[in-house]
Amino acid sequence: MNFILNKYFIHLSEGEIPKYLLIEKHIKRLIDTNMVEDRERLPSIRKLAQFLNVNNITVINAYKKLQAEGYAIQKIGSGTYAKKKDIHKNFNREYSKALKRIFNEEIVDYVDFTGETPSGEFFQIDFFKNVLNEVLDRDGAKALICQESLGYEGLRSSISSVFWNKKVDKEDILIISGAQQGIDLVSKAILNINDSVIVEKPTYSGALSVFKWRRTEIFEVPIEKDGINMDKFEKILRKNNIRCFYTMSYFQNPTGVSCSNYKKIQILKLAQIYDFYIIEDDYLSELIYDNSIRYNSFKSLDNNDRVVYIKSFSKIFLPGIRIGYLIPPKRFKESIQNSKINTDISTSSIMQRALDLYIRKGLWKNYIETLNCAYKKRYIHMEKCILKYLRDKVEFLKPGGGLHFYLKIKENIKLNSVNIFRQGKDRGILITPGLLFYKNALEGKNYFKISFSHTNEEEIEYGVKILSEIIK
């Protein structure tokens, strides 16, 4: 019998935490990690009390706590049985609350693998401060109070000339407050209730939230190493009246996959044939480390005005500067612009003017070059650490750019990504479980994302090593 009870053994030294809570926490962990199976009978109160050298009341209180938290059920006359909690239900809320609490405290105590934006350590704040002062000296009060519905004309001109070589007219560019607002504006202008959209599987959780809020029917198409599965994509198009396809063309969040030129051209042809529009979220395309990857957006290849192009400066510049831009098809230009005006009238005037001057002075180009150099080193180091510590525990595709890796837990590992998140959090390591990126959260339980944007090489090595200890 002691052999069966061995897994329930726990050191119960005297301390501030009551013994029943220590026992309850230990059994919860056994259930979460499948050491105790769902519906498995727990030891009787008397036998567990004798084995742990505590009184019966201590075990009774531990079992009551397990029942209250949904980890056990009692069958009268039969005993107490383990109950596997639905780890996926309401996990988004648990994840958000946990990160909010941690970030409100001292994040320095954690290795943060959850970051999705560049670290402020590479941003040359003095240069930007000088740009702000120059804008105020040049424009005075206008910099603070002047509002233009499409956005500051100077910034739209800079975007047109610097990023699009004037192939896009400044009048077709709408300044927005980041990619999330762009997705929301497009959905309000283009999508009606019960319209159908296709998303990549997995995809950005913020986009899923917007489409669910609009009460659209969401179809998912699996991602392969060079973009979505085209056969499954066209099968959905043939059977359904699709309004939009949402895609992240470079270093997709979360998979890190970039869509090949071949598939982009095929998707654009299908958009014309099946009469749908492509919402292109151009995510982190500035951070390319693999020379074999060439930049060609859907928008640059579009000959039939089928692409809504969304670009956020917040992702690559500074998260606190909520600026991005959107280029709509002419058919939806007015409705998207009206949607923006009805939402917030205008994005920060002074920040638009400062960003415009920052770009014109060539500081943007220098900043991106600095980021590429710094993050390529971290990218290479994280890949080495994954291969060194997690080779026999996970599988992954090399993204060739961006700020993260997406890891699949191998089938022989009993832990899922929620277990890893919870145990990692207890040991000062923060990851992003894959559940957040799927319409059906259960499909993401064996995946997790780790980013190197807010971690140096020493922290990367330490964090990946701890993850290796957790994933046994």
Side-chain angles (χ1 to χ4, degrees), residues 8 10-13 15-30 48 52 54-69 71:
Y8 291 94
I10 180 175
H11 289 286
L12 295 170
S13 56
E16 295 181 5
I17 303 175
K19 291 179 180 178
Y20 83 93
L21 287 179
L22 293 173
I23 295 170
E24 179 256 353
K25 184 177 181 180
H26 178 62
I27 294 176
K28 275 169 62 175
R29 180 159 291 181
L30 292 176
L48 186 58
L52 296 177
V54 296
N55 59 50
N56 287 356
I57 295 298
T58 299
V59 177
I60 289 170
N61 288 337
Y63 280 7
K64 283 183 177 178
K65 189 81 164 52
L66 286 168
Q67 290 172 50
E69 295 197 12
Y71 274 89

Side-chain angles (χ1 to χ4, degrees), residues 145-209:
I145 62 175
C146 186
Q147 294 180 338
E148 300 175 51
S149 57
L150 294 182
Y152 177 54
E153 184 179 357
L155 178 57
R156 289 186 287 116
S157 294
S158 290
I159 291 169
S160 171
S161 58
V162 175
F163 300 126
W164 292 94
N165 199 25
K166 296 189 177 180
K167 292 177 182 177
V168 174
D169 192 278
K170 66 180 180 182
E171 298 304 316
D172 293 330
I173 295 170
L174 175 67
I175 303 301
I176 56 176
S177 301
Q180 185 69 28
Q181 185 188 58
I183 298 166
D184 184 57
L185 294 175
V186 172
S187 68
K188 287 176 180 175
I190 296 180
L191 296 171
N192 296 310
I193 292 172
N194 297 326
D195 274 351
S196 298
V197 299
I198 297 178
V199 299
E200 295 158 331
K201 178 182 176 180
T203 193
Y204 170 49
S205 58
L208 281 177
S209 298

Side-chain angles (χ1 to χ4, degrees), residues 221-224 227-234 263:
V221 179
I223 280 195
E224 301 171 329
I228 56 170
N229 181 303
M230 294 303 297
D231 290 337
K232 292 182 179 180
F233 184 63
E234 189 163 9
K263 286 192 174 180

Side-chain angles (χ1 to χ4, degrees), residues 385-433:
C385 289
I386 293 170
L387 293 173
K388 180 179 178 181
Y389 297 109
L390 296 172
R391 183 190 293 270
D392 59 339
K393 300 176 177 69
V394 301
E395 301 169 0
F396 68 100
L397 290 172
K398 292 175 60 173
L403 292 172
H404 66 265
F405 286 84
Y406 194 55
L407 310 180
K408 180 182 180 182
I409 305 162
K410 288 191 175 181
E411 292 181 2
N412 62 316
I413 305 294
K414 287 190 174 183
L415 288 183
N416 58 52
S417 60
V418 173
N419 301 144
I420 296 168
F421 168 74
R422 289 172 177 162
Q423 292 187 43
K425 178 165 60 72
D426 290 343
R427 297 187 65 177
I429 311 296
L430 301 177
I431 63 150
T432 305

Side-chain angles (χ1 to χ4, degrees), residues 312-357:
S312 173
F313 290 112
S314 307
K315 293 291 185 188
I316 195 71
F317 198 43
L318 278 182
I321 300 176
R322 303 299 302 166
I323 297 179
Y325 68 96
L326 185 154
I327 306 172
K330 287 182 170 50
R331 178 181 174 184
F332 299 109
K333 180 178 174 179
E334 186 176 347
S335 60
I336 290 175
Q337 288 174 356
N338 289 338
S339 183
K340 172 68 165 70
I341 293 167
N342 293 335
T343 300
D344 68 357
I345 302 177
S346 179
T347 302
S348 169
S349 177
I350 188 169
M351 285 304 175
Q352 289 186 63
R353 292 165 187 256
L355 180 56
D356 168 46
L357 192 55

Side-chain angles (χ1 to χ4, degrees), residues 91-105 107 110 421-422 425 430:
F91 178 72
N92 287 35
R93 189 180 306 164
E94 176 191 338
Y95 178 76
S96 298
K97 283 176 67 176
L99 290 196
K100 185 177 180 181
R101 178 183 59 78
I102 289 168
F103 285 117
N104 284 341
E105 295 173 2
I107 189 62
Y110 290 83
F421 168 74
R422 289 172 177 162
K425 178 165 60 72
L430 301 177

